[in-house]
Amino acid sequence: MFESEFREGLDPKKVTQSMSRKGNCWDSAVAENFFKILKSETG
């Protein structure tokens, strides 16, 4: 799936894509850690 198709699929669902600044891998570290823990605890 191409990026533009992905973004077009988000619009009807009222979902906003969140992207970090280029070269800053720590922007989403908290959210990624949360979902890692949630995934490990649920299954």
Side-chain angles (χ1 to χ4, degrees), residues 7-35:
R7 279 186 268 141
E8 289 171 4
L10 296 178
D11 288 337
K13 297 176 176 74
K14 307 279 191 242
V15 174
T16 303
Q17 183 179 9
S18 175
M19 298 179 356
S20 75
R21 294 176 294 281
K22 184 175 180 177
N24 189 351
C25 62
W26 298 107
D27 279 353
S28 60
V30 174
E32 289 182 20
N33 190 45
F34 168 77
F35 285 110

Side-chain angles (χ1 to χ4, degrees), residues 2 5 21:
F2 293 104
E5 293 173 342
R21 294 176 294 281

